Amino acid sequence: MVERVERKERAQARAKATANAPGPTEIRSHLVRTELLKASVWLGLALLIAACIVLIQPILLIFAAIVTAAILDGGTRLLGRVLPIGRGWRLLIVCLSVLLFMIWTAMFAGSQIAAQAVSLQSVVMAQIERLAAWASDQGMGSFQLDTKTISDNFAGTFGRVTAAVGSVVGAFTSLVMILVLGVFIAIEPRLYERGVAWMLPMKNRENFYITTARMGFTLRRLMAGRLLGMFVEGVGTWLACMAVGIPMAALLGLLTGLLAFIPNIGAIVSGVLLVLVGFSAGTDAGLWAIAIYLVVQTVDGYLIVPMVAKKTVDLAPALVLGAQILFGALLGIMGLFLADPIVAMIKVALEREAERNAGAAPKVGKAAAG
C-alpha cells in the first residue's frame, strides 16, 4: 500500500515537472535561444550580402561621392593655409574654381577635342588592322578585328557596365548625383560622421572616430597625388605631342590625364593609344610617342607616386592591380575607377584593428599571469 502511494507520488512529481519544463519551441529554453541567435546572425549576414549585391551601384555612387568630398575637403584645407577665411567661403571658392575650369575646357578646347575624337577611332582601328596584317604575314594566324569585337572584349574584360551608368544619360545623371552628394558631404563632414557614430555602441565610438580620421587623411592625400599625377601626365603629354608634331595632341593629353586616375591599367591604355596614334603619323612620330610615354610615366612613377606614398598608405602595385581586375570584373567601370581608394580604406581599417589588438595584448597577458 505504501509502495503504491510512493509510486503514485513519484508519477505525479514527474508529470508536474514535465508540465512545467519549457518545450523545444519555447523561447525560455536556453538551447532554443542559443540556436535562434546563431540562425539570426547567419540570416542577417545572408540578407546583408544580398542587399549589397542588389544595391551595389548606389553603394558605389555613394563611395564615389565620398571620394569627391575628400577632394573638395582637401582643396578647402589647402586653401585655408594661405587664405584665413571661413570654411564655407573656402569651399565655395574651390567649387567655383572646378566649375570654371570645366567651363573653360568645354569652351576653348571642347570643339578641338570633339573633332579629334571623331578621327581617333578610325586612326586606332587602322593601326590595329596593320598590326593584324603584319601578324598574319608572320604566320601568327588570321585576325578578324572590328570596333564591335574590340569593344565587346573590353566590356567582357572589365565587367558589364550596369544600367546606372550604362548610357550617356545614365552616366551624366550619375555624375551629377556624385557631385551634388559630394558637395553636401564636404560642407559638413563631421555631421555625417557623428550620425554614423551615434548608431554604434558607446565603447566603439572612440575607435570609430580615430579610424575615420585616418581614412579621411589617407583619402585626401591619395586623391591629391592622383590629381597631381593626372595634371602632370595630361599637360605633359599634350605639350610634348604638340612639340614633336603628333596628331590629336589635345585629345591624347586629355585621355592620358583622365586615365592617370586608374593606376597601372590607365597607364597601359593611354600608352597604347599614344603609340598607335604616333605611328599613324610616321615612324619618327611613333618613336617620339614611345619616348614621351616613357618620360611621362617615369616622372609620375619615380617622383609623384613616391612623394605621395610617404605621407599616405603605400599600396603594393600587384595588390592594386589585382583589386582593379577583381572590382572591374565584378562591378564594371565604376569598380575599376574606385578600386584604389577602396583598397586604401580597407588597409587603413586593418592597420587600425591590428594596432588595437597589439595594444590590448599586453593587458590580456598580464591579467592571465596575475
Side-chain angles (χ1 to χ4, degrees):
M1 184 68 179
V2 176
E3 293 179 357
R4 187 182 304 166
V5 172
E6 290 179 352
R7 286 198 300 270
K8 185 176 181 181
E9 290 177 352
R10 286 196 297 269
Q12 290 177 350
R14 285 196 299 270
K16 185 177 180 181
T18 303
N20 294 330
T25 59
E26 294 185 23
I27 199 63
R28 290 184 298 171
S29 172
H30 177 71
L31 178 62
V32 173
R33 288 199 303 268
T34 303
E35 295 301 324
L36 183 61
L37 180 61
K38 294 179 180 179
S40 301
V41 172
W42 285 108
L43 179 60
L45 182 61
L47 292 176
L48 179 62
I49 295 175
C52 290
I53 294 175
V54 174
L55 302 175
I56 188 61
Q57 286 300 329
I59 292 174
L60 287 178
L61 291 179
I62 293 173
F63 187 79
I66 294 175
V67 173
T68 303
I71 296 175
L72 297 176
D73 184 53
T76 303
R77 291 169 180 261
L78 184 62
L79 189 61
R81 296 182 179 182
V82 296
L83 196 60
I85 58 177
R87 172 183 169 82
W89 292 107
R90 286 184 276 122
L91 179 61
L92 179 61
I93 293 175
V94 172
C95 293
L96 290 178
S97 300
V98 173
L99 180 61
L100 291 176
F101 175 76
M102 295 174 63
I103 294 175
W104 176 85
T105 303
M107 290 180 60
F108 292 93
S111 58
Q112 181 182 4
I113 292 176
Q116 293 177 0
V118 173
S119 59
L120 177 64
Q121 178 178 333
S122 59
V123 171
V124 172
M125 287 305 304
Q127 293 299 98
I128 292 176
E129 290 174 359
R130 289 180 57 185
L131 289 175
W134 177 83
S136 300
D137 295 339
Q138 300 299 319
M140 299 181 184
S142 178
F143 300 91
Q144 298 294 331
L145 299 176
D146 55 19
T147 306
K148 186 177 185 303
T149 302
I150 296 176
S151 61
D152 290 343
N153 290 333
F154 181 82
T157 302
F158 295 108
R160 182 175 298 177
V161 183
T162 56
V165 290
S167 63
V168 176
V169 176
F172 179 77
T173 304
S174 300
L175 179 61
V176 172
M177 292 174 59
I178 290 172
L179 293 176
V180 172
L181 187 57
V183 170
F184 279 126
I185 296 176
I187 291 175
E188 189 60 45
R190 298 295 182 186
L191 175 65
Y192 304 98
E193 184 182 24
R194 291 194 300 267
V196 176
W198 177 77
M199 295 184 290
L200 299 176
M202 292 288 294
K203 60 180 181 180
N204 295 332
R205 293 183 183 180
E206 181 180 359
N207 177 63
F208 172 78
Y209 285 125
I210 296 175
T211 304
T212 53
R214 293 184 181 180
M215 284 184 173
F217 175 82
T218 300
L219 195 56
R220 289 192 299 271
R221 294 285 182 171
L222 186 64
M223 291 301 101
R226 288 288 177 268
L227 292 177
L228 181 60
M230 292 170 64
F231 177 79
V232 171
E233 291 191 30
V235 174
T237 301
W238 173 41
L239 296 178
C241 288
M242 282 199 310
V244 299
I246 296 177
M248 293 176 281
L251 180 60
L252 289 175
L254 177 63
L255 292 177
T256 301
L258 293 177
L259 290 172
F261 188 84
I262 312 175
N264 305 318
I265 295 177
I268 296 173
V269 175
S270 62
V272 170
L273 292 176
L274 178 61
V275 172
L276 289 177
V277 174
F279 276 103
S280 69
T283 304
D284 293 340
L287 295 177
W288 274 114
I290 296 175
I292 292 172
Y293 172 76
L294 293 177
V295 170
V296 169
Q297 295 302 321
T298 299
V299 171
D300 184 53
Y302 288 94
L303 293 179
I304 298 176
V305 172
M307 179 180 64
V308 176
K310 290 179 181 179
K311 298 181 179 180
T312 182
V313 287
D314 191 6
L315 299 176
L319 176 63
V320 176
L321 182 58
Q324 289 171 345
I325 295 173
L326 178 62
F327 289 131
L330 295 177
L331 307 176
I333 299 298
M334 286 286 291
L336 182 65
F337 272 86
L338 297 176
D340 195 24
I342 291 175
V343 172
M345 296 300 96
I346 293 175
K347 185 176 181 181
V348 170
L350 293 178
E351 288 177 346
R352 172 56 186 167
E353 187 63 24
E355 180 181 324
R356 290 183 62 199
N357 294 335
K363 298 180 181 179
V364 175
K366 184 177 180 180

